[in-house]
Amino acid sequence: MSEELLELAERVVAQAGAGEQIEAYVSRGGDTEVRVYQGEVEHFVSAQSEGIGIRVIRDGRTGFASAGTLDPAAIAEVLAEARDNVGFGTVDEWAGLAEPDGVPVTEQVLWDEALASYPTERKIELARELERLTAATDRRVRVEESNYADAWGEAAVATTTGIRQAGRENGCYVSISTMASEEGGDETQTGFGFSVGRSPEAFDLDKAAREAADRATRLLGATKPTSRRLTVVLDPFVTAQFLGVISSTLNGEAVVKGRSLFRDRLDELIASPSVTLVDDPTDPRAYTATDVDGEGLAARRNVLIEDGVLRRFVHSSYSARRAGTVSTGNAVRGGFGGTPGVGCLALQLLPGNRSQDELVAEVDDGVLIQSVSGIHSGVNPISGDFSTGAAGLLITNGQVGAPVREFTIASTLQRMLTDVVEIGGDVEWLPMRAAGVSLVIRDVTMSGA
Amino acid sequence: MIERDVLQRVLAGALRTGAEFAEVYGEDKRSTSVGLDDGRIEQVTSSRSRGAGIRVVKGDTTGYAHTSDLSERGLLAAAEAAAAAAGRGDGLARVVALTPRAANRVNEIAVAPDSIGKAAKVEVLQRVDEAARGTGPEVVQVSAGYADSHKRVLVANSDGLLTDDEQTRVLLRVSAVASGDTGMQTGFQSMGHTIGWEVFDTVDVEALARDAARQAITKLRARPAPSGALPVVIQRGSGGVLFHEACGHGLEADLIAKGASVYAGKVGELVASPLVTLVDDGTMAGEWGTLGIDDEGHPTQRNVLIQDGVLTDYMWDFLRARAEGRPQSGNGRRQSYQHLPMVRMTNTFVLDGAEDPDDIVAATDHGVYVAHLGGGSVNTATGDFVFGMTEAYLIENGRITEPLRDGNLIGNGPQVLRDIDLLGNDFAMGNPGTCGKDGQGVPVGDGQPTLRVRSLTVGGTAA
């Protein structure tokens, strides 16, 4: 199937004139979303889409156009628009497409035939089963929604510089949102749970149900804590969100444009020596594992921070050319509608070897952070200021105790990296671009009452 | 976009399994965007998106499918998929007769952005870049974006509705980075309207750019924000997001129906300070959340949600209104033809109070003055919400003093609404926003006069 897309992309590229670089990115995909509420299907969405994005570079100027169709007349129009748009770009001496770099592609199993042919009725049944299991965990818990979702996609990219890649992948997940209240009480707390896999056989519904119930019930009776400095233990899910913020400071495009606060710190100590941060999309356990990046170069393992020392920024071919280095295979694209940017693909912190309970046992005055909110509004990755809303459980003398909510935790990204005390051994593979693991950070400000 | 007789046959096909309701939503959108960064026009982008979504409602189940193939064959295939998704069954053949209805023309477009050359759009960004960089030598980086779009929308349903609309948008955003001994700081400004190119006759883009640069430069001397509960004064036009999060989402009927809102069952009760009258209005000329019809074909309208502190009504879409046997409120929206509609806000704002804004600051001994807010988010079931402050100052002895570094503010919706103790007489709409819910983003507007919240938790690091 993907071969057909590749041929389509190559036909576009073949139309390049003298002195013209062309990249064609063609994709097609579909998804299914089932939502169950109180045993009934609330909605069932079955969606398919396809489209093409064409990038043209001439004399250092770039133009781009896209359309959500693979109709031949529309493709001709897209190419003409992209060519027209070239004339309005500023000359950029570093503008250019990726070129084959000889790095071999790590073959990965990204397509599951069992999922591709999984019957609709079973998908609905999975969402129903998850709702049943969750509702049965605790009388105080009710379910807001139970979801099954899957997606498949195939894509091809071809360029006048000799890139020629095609591939396809699929995946699925179930998720559940819960609310908990004491009988007769008017306080409500919320929780969520999920399970992901290349195939529904990989789901752990019991775990998703239990976590969704626990997250909601353990916050019942939560109060607003008093403001102070203390140690935070981030739950794996929260750590993954934290790593997402850190990744924008290690982005090669931010570095060459002067927007990274670590831009001059290569080979310096920027974190606690316990921190080793790797971006490894070739690790098959990662939900976002992939074989090629958005420009068609092999995805690869990059060590970004090693024993606290900043070793590498991630680059696309463009940011690498500007920085005088080579692409790290980190071009990312959000589909056919845009040109590739730069980003981490599958981050993970090198884990330690202790459980969350063992980490907590070392903390005299702290808080176990179960969830954060406002990561997109109160964190400034350029200045480094970090402040998010949070909910969790107080830790006193090594024991997890009273639930707390409606407070913030704040520090700076620079300080948080150096204030890392320990990384847990409890790696969790999440449906995000970073894996989760428990993370202990000292000297964070908690703002509450 | 699609002929009436084709729509009638597609709707009849969608109803074949005995469904009670079917709908075709067609969309044809063209957009142009220009990105400037690092002193360069990085690229001009053109895009086209065209397709239809078909919704079938049978009992409590909604089936949805969409297609980019607008031929009768493509539409019938999508109708069949949507019908199958809504559940099996047999029904009597039903004939659907569509009666065209004209949409409100809420926005007059004087100059369609499509009629303007790309060079002029590039030039706007170059002016922005120059103005931002010219604000001060501390400005080390500027990025800016321009985007316009023209969307034709068509809605037909098995109740006989046939209506269409045209939506034009123009958006400009600029962000600046300033650098100094204290590190780097950022500033941001934007404007967005549902009118045409004539917006540039009245908007001073250089002033917009200079304001973004000024924010970044000012923050170079900012000190860490305080930590703890303090009175917070929010400048006019910057804090609509507070209401969007503190109660807007909680007044969406889909969340109410599931008991996932702290405002469920509270109609007729005092839920806010008597100073507060909150309105959601999709008809305001030119505003970012304005539409002639919502994405279910219902005309937008002005809905008073809270009157003098008393909760008067929720916001409704087709499904939730049908379940309650009441009229829709023009709040059924979707990101695109690839998405199911749900209850969403349009332009949400608080009406003027009586105070002079200067008096509000003067009446505050020690607190925080927020001049620009970033985004926010809310847990509607608990009411806890956060929003980011991207330009803020300390208030000391009734005067605005030193700038503060960025941070989040956190509060509980019902509590914060009750804690609004001073409301200004200087109403203004705020920056264009994109509201995210259930994975879909839609354009929204917000606004408010300068106001004070007696106590909000400021999430800084200073004691």
Side-chain angles (χ1 to χ4, degrees), chain A residues 252-411:
Chain A
E253 186 175 346
V255 170
V256 297
K257 291 179 176 170
R259 284 197 189 92
S260 163
L261 52 89
F262 293 126
R263 66 191 183 286
D264 302 321
R265 305 286 304 278
L266 219 49
D267 295 320
E268 290 180 24
L269 197 67
I270 64 159
S272 151
S274 62
V275 174
T276 292
L277 180 66
V278 177
D279 186 45
D280 188 6
T282 69
D283 187 328
R285 295 171 299 175
Y287 181 74
T288 51
T290 184
D291 45 6
V292 295
D293 78 348
E295 291 183 303
L297 295 180
R300 59 205 78 173
R301 180 175 194 270
N302 289 296
V303 178
L304 308 179
I305 300 174
E306 185 178 26
D307 302 329
V309 177
L310 177 60
R311 289 296 183 204
R312 179 171 288 182
F313 300 113
V314 295
H315 284 288
S316 67
S317 67
Y318 172 79
S319 68
R321 215 173 286 124
R322 276 190 70 169
T325 178
V326 293
S327 171
T328 56
N330 284 91
V332 294
R333 54 199 321 157
F336 60 83
T339 51
V342 184
C344 291
L345 300 174
L347 283 170
Q348 47 179 299
L349 277 171
L350 205 70
N353 43 35
R354 297 207 290 173
S355 69
Q356 188 179 80
D357 288 345
E358 288 172 303
L359 300 182
V360 164
E362 306 270 321
V363 177
D364 289 337
D365 180 25
V367 58
L368 174 62
I369 304 293
Q370 175 175 310
S371 66
V372 289
S373 55
I375 280 253
H376 65 295
S377 60
V379 180
N380 185 330
I382 295 177
S383 69
D385 290 311
F386 180 97
S387 165
T388 73
L393 304 164
L394 288 177
I395 302 170
T396 311
N397 299 324
Q399 295 288 323
V400 167
V404 280
R405 52 163 271 273
E406 204 196 329
F407 65 96
T408 61
I409 50 171
S411 182

Side-chain angles (χ1 to χ4, degrees), chain B residues 41-104:
Chain B
I41 298 296
E42 295 203 312
Q43 73 213 8
V44 174
T45 296
S46 314
S47 62
R48 173 100 189 256
S49 159
R50 193 165 167 265
I54 295 177
R55 173 163 65 146
V56 174
V57 180
K58 189 177 179 195
D60 291 330
T61 301
T62 297
Y64 196 72
H66 63 78
T67 176
S68 58
D69 177 359
L70 294 186
S71 70
E72 182 164 358
R73 205 176 52 144
L75 291 166
L76 282 170
E80 195 168 311
R88 292 198 194 88
D90 296 310
L92 298 170
R94 265 174 66 185
V95 176
V96 178
L98 296 172
T99 313
R101 191 181 70 200
N104 300 348

Side-chain angles (χ1 to χ4, degrees), chain A residues 7-22 24 52 54 56 58 72 75-80 83 159-160:
Chain A
E7 283 165 22
L8 213 160
E10 287 183 318
R11 278 203 295 278
V12 172
V13 168
Q15 296 173 54
E20 192 177 57
Q21 287 191 5
I22 294 185
I52 183 165
I54 300 177
V56 177
R58 199 172 53 234
I75 292 176
E77 194 185 325
V78 171
L79 179 57
R83 279 178 166 151
T159 68
T160 45

Side-chain angles (χ1 to χ4, degrees), chain A residues 33 35-37 40-50 55 62-69 77 81-82 84-85 88-94 121 142 144-145 179 188-190 224 227-229 253 256-261 263 318 322 336-339 373-380 382-390 405-412 445-449, chain B residues 30 37-50 60-68 81-82 85-86 88 117-119 122 126 140-143 175 177 179 184-186 219 226-229 255 257-261 319-320 337-338 340 374-377 379-382 384-390 405-412 416 438 456-462:
Chain A
E33 185 190 311
R35 176 166 298 171
V36 163
Y37 181 61
E40 298 292 328
V41 177
E42 181 178 313
H43 69 232
F44 188 110
V45 179
S46 154
Q48 301 222 14
S49 60
E50 57 186 20
R55 185 156 55 134
T62 302
F64 181 79
S66 71
T69 169
E77 194 185 325
E81 275 289 334
D84 185 53
N85 289 342
F88 301 97
T90 307
V91 174
D92 182 346
E93 59 184 293
W94 296 289
E121 283 309 317
R142 54 190 200 283
E144 186 185 344
E145 59 184 51
M179 294 183 283
T188 300
Q189 297 297 340
T190 61
K224 192 171 176 126
S227 304
R228 61 184 185 271
R229 283 189 182 223
E253 186 175 346
V256 297
K257 291 179 176 170
R259 284 197 189 92
S260 163
L261 52 89
R263 66 191 183 286
Y318 172 79
R322 276 190 70 169
F336 60 83
T339 51
S373 55
I375 280 253
H376 65 295
S377 60
V379 180
N380 185 330
I382 295 177
S383 69
D385 290 311
F386 180 97
S387 165
T388 73
R405 52 163 271 273
E406 204 196 329
F407 65 96
T408 61
I409 50 171
S411 182
T412 65
T445 303
M446 174 167 76
S447 302
Chain B
R30 283 179 186 274
D37 196 5
D38 201 25
R40 294 183 186 84
I41 298 296
E42 295 203 312
Q43 73 213 8
V44 174
T45 296
S46 314
S47 62
R48 173 100 189 256
S49 159
R50 193 165 167 265
D60 291 330
T61 301
T62 297
Y64 196 72
H66 63 78
T67 176
S68 58
R88 292 198 194 88
K118 293 168 184 169
V122 164
Q126 284 164 338
V140 293
Q141 194 55 281
V142 176
S143 79
S175 48
V177 180
S179 183
M184 288 186 290
Q185 282 294 348
T186 55
K219 283 196 287 184
S227 158
L255 298 167
K258 288 188 172 180
S261 166
L319 271 186
R320 261 54 64 162
Y337 75 89
Q338 304 189 356
L340 264 177
S377 61
N379 179 332
T380 56
T382 65
D384 289 350
F385 71 102
V386 293
F387 54 103
M389 49 181 195
T390 56
R405 295 179 72 101
D406 290 358
N408 258 314
L409 298 167
I410 190 162
N412 182 262
V416 168
D438 217 359
L456 259 176
T457 296
V458 182
T461 56

Side-chain angles (χ1 to χ4, degrees), chain B residues 114-370:
Chain B
D114 284 351
S115 68
I116 299 294
K118 293 168 184 169
K121 297 169 186 176
V122 164
E123 197 247 324
V124 168
L125 293 190
Q126 284 164 338
R127 279 163 52 204
V128 164
D129 187 50
E130 203 170 310
R133 288 181 189 274
T135 307
E138 301 91 336
V139 176
V140 293
Q141 194 55 281
V142 176
S143 79
Y146 164 90
D148 63 51
S149 64
H150 178 250
K151 182 157 90 170
R152 290 168 55 216
V153 168
L154 170 157
V155 183
N157 71 32
S158 56
D159 294 341
L161 174 71
L162 174 59
T163 186
D164 59 12
D165 195 18
E166 296 199 25
Q167 297 165 9
T168 298
R169 293 179 179 278
V170 175
L171 179 73
L172 183 67
R173 53 158 192 87
V174 52
S175 48
V177 180
S179 183
D181 296 342
T182 54
M184 288 186 290
Q185 282 294 348
T186 55
F188 179 79
Q189 259 299 3
S190 63
M191 69 102 207
H193 291 280
T194 45
I195 57 175
W197 186 257
E198 66 275 14
V199 67
F200 293 109
D201 295 343
T202 48
V203 171
D204 182 345
V205 301
E206 275 97 353
L208 200 79
R210 283 192 297 270
D211 190 53
R214 180 197 55 76
Q215 289 172 42
I217 294 169
T218 302
K219 283 196 287 184
L220 289 176
R221 56 186 174 83
R223 59 190 229 180
S227 158
L230 285 171
V232 174
V233 178
I234 301 172
Q235 181 178 293
R236 72 184 195 130
S238 67
V241 65
L242 182 146
F243 295 95
H244 182 101
E245 306 297 353
C247 61
H249 279 297
L251 300 179
E252 294 167 343
D254 47 352
L255 298 167
I256 296 291
K258 288 188 172 180
S261 166
V262 281
Y263 299 101
K266 297 264 166 79
V267 171
E269 291 183 24
L270 193 69
V271 297
S273 154
L275 298 172
V276 174
T277 292
L278 181 75
V279 175
D280 184 84
D281 185 351
T283 70
M284 295 173 91
E287 292 301 334
W288 192 237
T290 298
L291 304 158
I293 51 173
D294 71 3
D295 299 320
E296 301 178 310
H298 195 273
T300 52
Q301 59 192 51
R302 178 184 172 93
N303 298 299
V304 177
L305 306 173
I306 296 174
Q307 177 80 52
D308 303 324
V310 176
L311 179 59
T312 47
D313 202 358
Y314 304 122
M315 289 169 277
W316 302 85
D317 66 357
F318 166 78
L319 271 186
R320 261 54 64 162
R322 186 183 72 148
E324 296 293 319
R326 52 149 294 148
Q328 293 163 241
S329 63
N331 291 94
R333 301 184 64 188
R334 61 182 112 203
Q335 181 176 314
S336 79
Y337 75 89
Q338 304 189 356
H339 298 87
L340 264 177
M342 59 182 147
V343 187
R344 305 301 292 263
M345 287 173 258
T346 60
N347 302 298
T348 314
F349 50 91
V350 169
L351 301 188
D352 258 339
E355 305 289 332
D356 182 318
D358 293 339
D359 294 345
I360 297 178
V361 174
T364 306
D365 275 345
H366 179 67
V368 168
Y369 182 84
V370 181

